[in-house]
Amino acid sequence: MKRIFISIYVLFLLTILAGPFTISPILNKIFEEDMIHAVRELAKGTFALMSERMIPLDETERLQELERIKPEFGYPVGLSRISELEITASQKEDVMNGLIIETGDDDMLIQRLAGSEWALTMGGPWPGDDVDIQAFFIFIALFILFLTVPALGWT
């Protein structure tokens, strides 16, 4: 009886541990476009307010204004020339057309300041990006503490 219990328990434990590594990447791939759209929609208002503030200013005043408002954000914000951004040609075309793009490597959001060669950037890395990993390890530690230790002690 104990052997059956331990076998089932180990199978259960392995299923719980393997779940996030197998299901999560699949779900991320399925909902990738929806997640990108949601992030763009969330950033749209911030970009609009920042653009409204920056467009009437000249280059020096824009940089000064950006330095002044940076502490108000909980993530990196910047102002770069579009030609200096490390993005693909199709991404540059999207930026020139006024779209908000997301770079894949560092999750940075970019939008052009209307009528200029400058682009506002936000993010990369975002606060809380590492919370998923920390939560997973806390879950595993609590799982082992509250279920594995008593179960092995019971057998």
Side-chain angles (χ1 to χ4, degrees):
M1 185 72 169
K2 289 180 185 179
R3 186 175 182 160
I4 293 172
F5 172 76
I6 291 174
S7 298
I8 292 172
Y9 187 76
V10 168
L11 181 62
F12 176 72
L13 182 64
L14 290 175
T15 303
I16 294 294
L17 292 176
F21 296 110
T22 56
I23 295 171
S24 183
I26 294 169
L27 291 176
N28 284 343
K29 191 65 176 168
I30 291 171
F31 296 111
E32 183 176 21
E33 287 298 319
D34 293 332
M35 291 176 3
I36 290 171
H37 178 71
V39 167
R40 287 178 180 166
E41 288 299 310
L42 287 172
K44 191 185 292 185
T46 305
F47 274 128
L49 292 172
M50 288 178 66
S51 293
E52 186 179 296
R53 224 179 210 182
M54 299 283 185
I55 287 175
L57 305 175
D58 66 22
E59 182 178 333
T60 307
E61 291 172 326
R62 284 179 184 162
L63 294 171
Q64 289 172 346
E65 179 66 11
L66 183 67
E67 287 302 316
R68 189 184 71 72
I69 64 174
K70 267 185 184 181
E72 304 298 322
F73 290 85
Y75 47 84
V77 292
L79 189 62
S80 302
R81 291 188 190 277
I82 295 172
S83 59
E84 295 171 356
L85 294 171
E86 295 179 15
I87 54 177
T88 66
S90 66
Q91 287 176 323
K92 278 189 184 180
E93 185 177 329
D94 288 345
V95 169
M96 292 303 290
N97 290 328
L99 297 176
I100 297 171
I101 66 154
E102 180 179 10
T103 61
D105 297 339
D106 54 7
D107 292 331
M108 184 186 304
L109 298 172
I110 303 169
Q111 186 178 37
R112 178 183 180 202
L113 278 176
S116 74
E117 61 186 50
W118 291 89
L120 290 165
T121 61
M122 291 192 298
W126 294 94
D129 278 350
D130 60 346
V131 171
D132 290 341
I133 302 287
Q134 292 172 352
F136 175 73
F137 284 116
I138 290 171
F139 170 76
I140 296 302
L142 292 174
F143 187 85
I144 290 170
L145 179 67
F146 291 118
L147 291 176
T148 305
V149 172
L152 292 176
W154 178 69
T155 59

